[in-house]
Amino acid sequence: MTHSMSFNFEFVNVEKHYESYTGANVKLRYFLRVTVIKRLSDLVKETDIAVHTLSSYPDVNSSIKMEVGIEDCLHIEFEYNKSKYHLKDVIVGKIYFLLVRIKIKHMEIAIIKKETTGAGPNVFTENETIAKYEIMDGAPVRGESIPIRVFLAGYDLTPTMRDIAKKFSVRYYLNLVLVDEEERRYFKQQEIILWRKGDRIRKPISHSSSTVSNNVHSLQSTAATPSTPELKSPDGRPHAFTRQDSTNETTDLMSKLSTGEINPTSEDPRVTVETSPVAEE
């Protein structure tokens, strides 16, 4: 190679089983590598590409409902509308207090990401708090219900990953925390499944659709110019008829009726007398 050259390439039907991921202790990447072999040292250039795994709506997406608490002290019931959410979804739920004998100061909910790397005895877990909300301030009473609504679209989330190449896993949890007046914390974690929803793709207009559109257009053009029926005089001879002549003839008839030149009861073919029945008592 003595000057700039361009080469075309193509990788056909290459399976990419996993989604690109960059975490605290692990990185899964796809890249293109170009190697130019030289006499002394090779020239290597890499370009990263992002791969997303798209999923469809899950067949079964039941709600999460669970009762937890401390015996004779605290008993709550929490419920989430679904167990599987796409990355732009909204988590909707509620917390219901069945028994409250602890002076609770406030309650908060958090989204926790757990990244697990390694296998066997060499397993390391990294926890990251994605978002945290305070959903209650003050002591609740028995029978009180606290609503929950968390929007996921504003956070940098990834789909749930399990045993990727037997190297790492990424899971997400909803962490419900109650804090009492003595700063003691009571928490309950519940795993949720996150998945990436594919964007809607508009189907291209087919040739048959354009043909139908053209046919409809031609029909509309034909209907816009209807044929005028041919009018004939009493002796059978055709004559021209325009809107202006009709108006003049009508005006002439009305003037003759007003002056008495034409009797409305006469048998003039240009005059029509309509009668309506009158109801008798």
Side-chain angles (χ1 to χ4, degrees), residues 87-206:
L87 301 184
K88 306 297 182 182
D89 214 336
V90 181
I91 300 175
V92 179
K94 67 177 181 178
I95 308 296
Y96 187 73
F97 289 88
L98 303 175
L99 177 64
V100 182
R101 292 180 180 176
I102 299 177
K103 295 182 179 180
I104 298 176
K105 185 170 62 174
H106 68 271
M107 180 170 59
E108 59 188 29
I109 189 172
I111 303 175
I112 306 295
K113 182 177 79 170
K114 289 188 176 183
E115 178 187 288
T116 304
T117 57
N122 302 321
V123 175
F124 182 78
T125 301
E126 180 76 18
N127 294 336
E128 179 184 356
T129 301
I130 303 297
K132 181 189 294 185
Y133 293 96
E134 183 177 300
I135 58 177
M136 186 191 70
D137 186 15
V141 296
R142 180 180 178 181
E144 188 171 1
S145 178
I146 307 298
I148 298 174
R149 186 178 294 270
V150 180
F151 294 85
L152 302 179
Y155 303 103
D156 187 15
L157 302 172
T158 66
T160 298
M161 303 180 180
R162 296 182 176 180
D163 298 329
I164 302 299
K166 298 183 180 180
K167 299 293 184 181
F168 72 97
S169 299
V170 179
R171 290 179 168 88
Y172 291 89
Y173 296 84
L174 290 177
N175 190 35
L176 183 65
V177 181
L178 288 84
V179 182
D180 62 9
E181 294 183 350
E182 299 179 1
E183 297 298 328
R184 290 178 297 190
R185 303 173 68 87
Y186 309 90
F187 68 93
K188 176 62 178 179
Q189 288 188 355
Q190 178 64 44
E191 183 179 5
I192 58 175
I193 307 299
L194 299 185
W195 55 281
R196 188 182 300 277
K197 182 173 67 172
D199 297 332
R200 292 184 176 181
I201 302 177
R202 292 185 176 182
K203 296 181 179 180
I205 300 177
S206 60

